[in-house]
Each structure stands twice: as structure tokens, then as C-alpha cells.
């Protein structure tokens, strides 16, 4: 469609010439007629121009013209597209949305459904230079992208960009030249939406998942999906090359981005994360393969922690036996927030000189029971204490701990401390039943007995070899066999067999009950199935 002109046509020129030879009155009439025709043509031209202006501002019109320019290589359509883009405002927005309509129609980044031959011309158009773009690189793509990578709202699609698919294309688009151009763009861009898309793609790769085969160097395993045989994969190369990453986290709980700060050696950003979660993740990263310089930064960060939450995490993990937490706590001089936990913390981190000063009365477990509580269970602490007693402790420290283990009897009145003592006694009894030597010795010396179930008494007496009292309670052994017959699931036969052999006593474990299948009257056999089985008419035999 073209604009109409206000110039008279050839027929109108002939008419005015022939009539111009008549009288002056005739000439006036011809001039008036020509003037009326010119006004009508002008009105018509204005109408056509207005209609074209309205049509070209619709997404459908922009999409059609853009398709003609990019797919049909129509030079006049291309000139119009370039003119609309340069005009800015609604004209440029129509072209921009038209481009994303074309990408969507070509199934951009939809796997096997994608039509690369349709995608390439549109992406090449968006990657053309645009000096008006406020972001680097100055191309059409960065000129109009939104400031976030948020997905368009659910509903009618209006040509909104799917920013995250640009990252996917930079990693897996089939055209290697265009894939590299997108990777180069993402490696330098400062456009917020693209940076947001890179962070969005980084999070699941930095989050600890299963062991990724082939990601770590031979002989190692990693739970982060950012390497290939120990070398940065294509995505990590882009992220590490971009000078505008990492950014301060928008939310303190966005802990997955913490690895990006470690990779780029930006310890100044670590205080911006939620500190308890930060300490946990640092220790987790030290438990899987990462490049050695990243592990070194994790260790340095653990020793630089100062907030109460993250120091508490390190101290708790140290008491649970995490070697990296123990080393960090010792090097940095970390201490639990509650002083009542300090003696057991010093004991379990093998800081014996400091432990002697913190627990002069040898009441390490009693002090722990009097605390305000911890995220660590009493059974986990007791397991660690029983384990450390089996190592080369200084004699005075070992004696102090054993005395504390034997002084966990109930207090005069109900209290939180009394409840914790009760939990510790239960744990010691449970470990004694499993024949742990230090637990057995503590039970025998302190006289700890089950409190809730009298049936647990006989197994405990037998397994801890308190035979004098056991013989008084169960002189012929029938009581213990009855308990084991009813609750054999709570015990292990091998422990009873070991004690019986050592003491020269009969094994109290009850014999296996006969299987119901041993009675031919209770179970059907192949020869007794109904003859109609399977409807084959073979009399039920098979």
C-alpha cells in the first residue's frame, strides 16, 4: 500500500485544458471543479495514511512485515522494519514483540520441535548493533529486554520475551556460530535481565545434588554440576568471564549464589547471605570435590565467621565430628553461644588444656543438661563421647568423663535438666544392650536400670553380665526366653550368643518358630489347585 498524492491525474489535466478555452464563466467552473477534486483526493490520502499508521502499530502487522523482511528477504519490508525500530516507542515495541512471536512460532529452545532455520534470522536481527541500547553489548537484544528474567504471566501470549531461553541457546543451539555469539554476549553483558537469567541457571547447578558422573577429575566425586572432568563446563566459563557477576543477593536466603562469590573470590559478598545457612553450605562444599582454590576460600570463610548463627553452626558440626568444622573452630577460637556447652565442645574438639579449665569439677555432661538446649540430640553427643573414650585421651581427661557418665541419676524434682539426664540414661542403656564397652561399664558401675518397661530388665542384666542379680530375677531362664520370644526384634542374637559363650551359659535365644508352610494341610500345592485354573482344561496340573 502506498500514500495517495494530491496531484491531478492525466484525465483531470485533459479536462481542465479543454474546458479552459471556453468563456471566463466556464473557466471559473473548471477551476472550482478541479479544486473540489483535489480536496477529495487529499481527504482520501489522509484516510489511507491514517489506516496504514493504525495497522502498522499492531503486533500482527509488525510480525507480518518482519517475517517478510527476515524470511522473504524483502528489501522494502526491511526498510520499513528498520524505520519503525529507529522511531522507537510503540513502533519499536511492535517490532520487538513481533520478533518474539516469530521465535515462539519456531519453537525456540523446545528441543526436537525447534526450527533453527526460522530461529537464526530472528536472532541475527536481534544481535545487530543498536547504539541506543543502554547496556553492553549495544545490540537490539539488550535495548529492549526487561530488567528481570521473570517468566511472562500465564494467559494470552503477547510477544513477551523468554529471557532464560537465551542462556539455553548459548549452551545448546545447533548453529555453532550463533551459539558462540550468544555465549560471547552473555560473557560481557551488564543487562539486568540477562544477569538474572544467568543467576537463575546457576542456582540448580550450584545446589548440591547427586554425584555427577564425569564432572570431577578421575578418582574424585562432586555434587555440583559446573565442571567436566574437573574443568569448567560451557556455562561456568560464561559466568566466570562476565565481569558483572556476582551481584549482592537480593534475598539473604539465596544461598546457592554463594558459590559464585567463592568462584570469583568475592569474600566481601558473603556477609550478605543468611549466616547460618552460609556456614552449613561452606561445610557441605568442603565435603565434595571442588577446585582446591575454592576449598581454600571455604576454609578461610569458616575461620572469618563472626555472627552468632554461623559460629553456632560450626561449633555444632564440630561436636558431631566434622573434621573441617573442628579445624575451623580450633583455628578461629570459636566457642558455643551457651557457656554450658563449652566443656563438651572443648572435649570433643580435643582442646584438652582448655577443657580442664572449663570443667574443673568434672561435670561435663551435667553442665550440658543444665543448658538452654541445642539443635544436637543428647544421643548424638553421647555417641561422640563414648567414641572419644576409645581413643588416646589423657588419663585425667578420660577419668573425668567416665565420672560424669556415672553421675546421671535423677534429680529431686521434675525439671528440664532431669528430663535431659533421663534421655542420657536411656541412651547409655541402649548402647549397653549393643555391648559397647564404655556404656556397659557405666551401666554396671552406676547401677542404671530401665525405667519404663520391666521386661527390658532381664535382657539388660544378661547382656551386661550382672549375673548375680540376673539369677535372682530369673533363676531358670524362662523369663528371659519369654521376653525374647515376644520382643526379639529389639535385640540381636549375636550379643546374647557372645555373652553366653563367655560366661559358659546356655544361649537364651528362643528357637525359631516352625513355618506354617511345613503343614501340608495349611497350604495348597500345585496338585491341589482347582481344575479350572486358567481355563485350559488340563486338570490344574502344571
Amino acid at each position: 500500500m502506498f500514500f495517495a498524492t494530491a496531484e491531478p491525474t492525466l484525465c483531470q489535466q485533459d479536462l481542465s485544458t479543454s474546458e479552459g478555452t471556453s468563456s471566463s464563466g466556464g473557466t471559473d467552473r473548471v477551476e472550482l471543479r478541479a479544486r473540489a477534486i483535489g480536496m477529495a483526493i487529499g481527504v482520501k490520502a489522509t484516510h489511507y495514511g491514517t489506516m496504514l499508521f493504525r495497522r502498522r502499530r499492531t503486533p500482527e502487522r509488525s510480525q507480518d512485515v518482519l517475517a517478510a523482511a527476515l524470511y522473504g528477504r524483502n528489501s522494502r519490508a526491511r526498510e520499513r522494519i528498520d524505520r519503525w525500530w529507529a522511531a522507537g516507542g510503540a513502533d519499536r515495541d511492535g517490532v520487538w514483540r513481533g520478533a518474539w512471536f516469530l521465535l515462539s512460532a519456531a519453537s525456540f529452545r523446545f528441543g526436537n520441535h525447534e526450527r533453527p532455520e526460522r530461529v537464526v534470522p530472528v536472532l541475527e536481527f536481534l544481535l545487530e548493533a543498536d547504539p541506543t541500547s543502554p547496556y553492553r553489548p549495544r545490540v537490539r537484544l539488550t535495548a529492549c529486554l526487561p530488567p528481570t528474567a521473570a517468566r511472562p504471566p500465564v494467559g494470552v501470549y503477547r510477544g513477551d520475551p523468554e529471557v532464560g531461553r537465551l542462556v539455553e541457546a548459548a549452551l545448546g543451539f545447533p548453529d555453532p556460530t550463533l551459539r558462540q555469539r550468544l555465549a560471547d554476549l552473555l560473557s560481557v553483558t551488564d543487562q539486568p535481565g540477562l544477569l538474572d537469567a544467568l543467576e537463575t541457571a546457576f542456582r540448580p547447578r550450584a545446589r548440591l545434588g547427586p554425584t555427577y558422573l564425569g564432572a570431577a577429575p578421575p578418582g574424585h566425586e562432586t555434587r555440583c554440576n559446573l565442571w567436566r572432568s574437573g574443568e569448567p563446563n560451557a556455562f561456568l566459563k560464561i559466568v566466570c568471564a562476565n565481569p558483572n557477576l556476582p551481584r549482592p543477593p537480593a534475598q539473604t536466603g539465596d544461598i546457592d549464589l554463594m558459590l559464585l562469590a567463592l568462584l570469583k573470590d568475592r569474600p566481601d559478598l558473603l556477609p550478605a547471605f543468611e549466616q547460618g545457612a552460609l556456614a552449613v553450605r561452606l561445610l557441605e562444599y568442603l565435603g565434595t570435590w571442588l577446585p582446591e582454590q575454592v576449598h581454600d576460600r571455604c576454609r578461610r570463610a569458616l575461620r572469618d565467621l563472626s555472627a552468632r548463627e554461623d559460629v553456632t553452626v560450626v561449633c555444632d558440626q564440630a561436636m558431631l565430628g566434622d573434621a573441617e568444622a573442628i579445624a575451623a573452630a580450633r583455628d578461629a577460637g570459636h566457642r558455643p553461644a551457651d557457656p554450658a556447652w563449652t566443656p563438651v565442645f572443648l572435649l570433643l574438639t580435643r582442646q584438652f588444656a582448655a577443657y580442664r579449665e572449663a570443667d574443673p569439677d568434672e561435670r561435663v555432661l551435667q553442665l550440658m543438661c543444665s543448658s538452654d538446649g541445642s539443635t544436637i540430640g543428647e544421643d548424638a553427643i553421647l555417641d561422640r563421647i563414648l567414641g572419644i573414650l576409645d581413643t588416646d585421651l589423657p588419663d585425667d581427661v578420660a577419668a573425668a568423663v567416665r565420672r560424669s557418665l556415672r553421675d546421671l541419676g535423677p534429680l529431686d524434682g521434675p525439671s528440664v535438666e532431669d528430663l535431659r539426664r533421663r534421655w542420657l540414661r536411656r541412651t547409655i542403656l541402649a548402647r549397653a544392650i549393643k555391648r559397647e564397652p564404655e556404656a556397659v561399664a557405666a551401666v554396671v558401675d552406676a547401677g542404671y536400670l530401665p525405667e519404663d518397661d520391666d521386661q527390658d530388665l532381664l535382657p539388660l542384666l544378661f547382656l551386661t553380665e550382672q549375673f548375680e542379680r540376673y539369677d535372682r530375677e530369673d533363676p531358670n531362664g524362662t523369663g528371659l526366653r519369654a521376653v525374647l520370644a515376644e520382643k526379639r526384634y529389639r535385640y540381636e542374637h549375636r550379643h546374647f550368643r557372645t555373652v553366653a559363650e563367655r560366661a559358659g551359659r546356655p544361649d537364651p535365644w528362643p528357637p525359631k518358630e516352625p513355618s506354617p508352610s511345613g503343614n501340608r494341610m495349611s497350604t495348597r500345592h500345585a496338585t491341589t489347585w482347582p481344575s479350572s485354573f486358567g481355563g485350559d482344561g488340563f486338570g490344574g496340573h502344571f
Side-chain angles (χ1 to χ4, degrees):
M1 181 182 295
F2 300 94
F3 284 103
T5 63
E7 298 179 358
T9 65
L10 179 62
C11 294
Q12 292 166 349
Q13 291 175 355
D14 294 341
L15 177 62
S16 61
T17 300
S18 62
E19 292 186 353
T21 59
S22 61
S23 62
S24 60
T27 300
D28 293 339
R29 286 195 298 272
V30 170
E31 291 178 355
L32 290 173
R33 185 179 180 185
R35 195 174 300 163
I37 292 173
M39 292 176 63
I41 293 174
V43 170
K44 189 173 183 179
T46 302
H47 172 72
Y48 285 158
T50 301
M51 290 300 294
L52 180 59
F53 177 75
R54 289 176 179 172
R55 288 186 62 195
R56 75 182 186 188
R57 292 174 66 92
T58 62
E60 294 81 3
R61 177 61 172 162
S62 300
Q63 178 182 339
D64 292 343
V65 177
L66 186 61
L70 301 183
Y71 298 151
R73 300 185 180 277
N74 185 301
S75 59
R76 293 174 63 189
R78 181 56 193 256
E79 291 174 0
R80 181 168 296 176
I81 287 297
D82 290 339
R83 187 167 64 250
W84 287 347
W85 187 273
D91 289 341
R92 173 179 289 193
D93 184 70
V95 177
W96 169 253
R97 293 184 179 277
W100 284 94
F101 269 116
L102 294 180
L103 289 175
S104 178
S107 301
F108 179 45
R109 301 316 301 147
F110 276 106
N112 294 333
H113 300 285
E114 188 174 33
R115 301 167 64 190
E117 72 281 359
R118 289 283 181 175
V119 173
V120 168
V122 183
L123 288 182
E124 289 180 338
F125 171 77
L126 294 176
L127 292 176
E128 291 178 3
D130 183 355
T132 67
S133 174
Y135 302 108
R136 292 185 301 132
R138 290 184 169 85
V139 294
R140 286 190 169 105
L141 184 65
T142 60
C144 294
L145 275 175
T148 70
R151 295 179 62 86
V154 177
V156 178
Y157 180 66
R158 300 184 181 278
D160 298 295
E162 294 274 3
V163 185
R165 292 180 187 168
L166 295 168
V167 177
E168 298 174 24
L171 300 176
F173 194 69
D175 185 320
T177 301
L178 192 52
R179 182 172 68 244
Q180 187 59 50
R181 289 183 65 187
L182 288 171
D184 293 342
L185 179 146
L186 293 173
S187 297
V188 300
T189 189
D190 58 351
Q191 203 279 330
L194 290 174
L195 296 179
D196 194 13
L198 287 172
E199 290 176 343
T200 299
F202 184 85
R203 289 185 184 96
R205 291 170 166 85
R207 193 172 301 133
L208 292 171
T211 298
Y212 290 98
L213 297 178
H220 299 272
E221 293 183 348
T222 185
R223 296 169 58 199
C224 292
N225 188 21
L226 289 165
W227 287 270
R228 184 64 57 196
S229 298
E231 297 297 325
N233 61 19
F235 176 74
L236 185 56
K237 289 178 181 178
I238 292 173
V239 171
C240 288
N242 191 300
N244 303 290
L245 292 174
R247 302 182 295 178
Q251 298 179 347
T252 60
D254 198 357
I255 201 66
D256 296 320
L257 294 181
M258 180 263 288
L259 181 58
L260 188 53
L262 293 172
L263 288 167
K264 303 290 282 287
D265 198 13
R266 290 289 306 278
D268 56 296
L269 294 180
L270 297 181
F273 294 94
E274 197 277 311
Q275 294 299 284
L278 172 70
V280 170
R281 185 60 64 86
L282 288 170
L283 291 170
E284 289 175 340
Y285 282 150
L286 285 169
T288 191
W289 179 88
L290 292 176
E292 191 56 37
Q293 64 269 27
V294 177
H295 274 174
D296 290 342
R297 292 163 191 167
C298 288
R299 294 186 181 100
R300 187 172 68 238
L302 284 171
R303 286 152 176 80
D304 291 340
L305 297 174
S306 58
R308 177 175 177 175
E309 296 84 357
D310 46 20
V311 171
T312 297
V313 168
V314 174
C315 291
D316 286 352
Q317 294 303 309
M319 287 189 283
L320 290 174
D322 188 299
E324 292 287 353
I326 291 173
R330 289 171 60 97
D331 292 347
H334 293 324
R335 295 290 186 271
D338 188 344
W341 281 87
T342 299
V344 69
F345 164 78
L346 295 171
L347 170 68
L348 295 177
T349 56
R350 304 184 71 87
Q351 301 180 67
F352 300 129
Y355 165 73
R356 293 185 183 99
E357 295 180 3
D359 188 27
D361 298 327
E362 302 176 351
R363 297 180 58 78
V364 57
L365 292 175
Q366 288 72 18
L367 289 172
M368 184 186 77
C369 290
S370 66
S371 72
D372 292 333
S374 172
T375 57
I376 309 177
E378 285 79 1
D379 55 343
I381 290 292
L382 187 60
D383 285 341
R384 289 277 294 134
I385 288 177
L386 294 175
I388 202 172
L389 282 172
D390 196 29
T391 64
D392 56 341
L393 286 183
D395 291 341
D396 62 322
V397 172
V401 175
R402 290 189 176 104
R403 277 191 286 271
S404 182
L405 277 171
R406 289 154 174 76
D407 189 19
L408 291 170
L411 300 176
D412 294 336
S415 64
V416 173
E417 181 178 354
D418 187 58
L419 182 61
R420 289 180 180 142
R421 284 174 172 239
R422 184 180 184 186
W423 286 336
L424 282 175
R425 292 196 304 273
R426 285 180 175 177
T427 304
I428 294 173
L429 290 168
R431 301 306 181 265
I433 287 175
K434 294 182 179 298
R435 295 288 302 164
E436 294 187 23
E438 289 290 346
V440 170
V443 166
V444 173
D445 294 346
Y448 297 143
L449 295 174
E451 302 173 17
D452 299 328
D453 193 339
D454 292 338
Q455 287 186 317
D456 290 334
L457 177 61
L458 294 177
L460 175 73
L461 293 175
F462 189 93
L463 291 172
T464 57
E465 302 182 47
Q466 301 181 65
F467 292 122
E468 184 177 346
R469 180 170 180 179
Y470 170 76
D471 291 337
R472 293 198 306 267
E473 298 284 344
D474 188 25
N476 55 12
T478 56
L480 178 57
R481 283 193 295 273
V483 171
L484 294 178
E486 180 181 352
K487 297 185 176 182
R488 70 175 69 204
Y489 61 89
R490 297 180 59 174
Y491 306 99
E492 296 183 45
H493 183 193
R494 60 188 179 94
H495 295 320
F496 289 91
R497 185 170 56 240
T498 298
V499 171
E501 291 174 354
R502 285 179 52 177
R505 289 170 172 263
D507 185 355
W509 198 262
K512 291 184 178 180
E513 298 178 0
S515 173
S517 60
N519 184 356
R520 292 181 57 87
M521 298 301 294
S522 62
T523 305
R524 285 187 171 183
H525 296 270
T527 56
T528 63
W529 288 100
S531 60
S532 61
F533 178 79
D536 54 10
F538 293 122
H541 297 275
F542 52 89

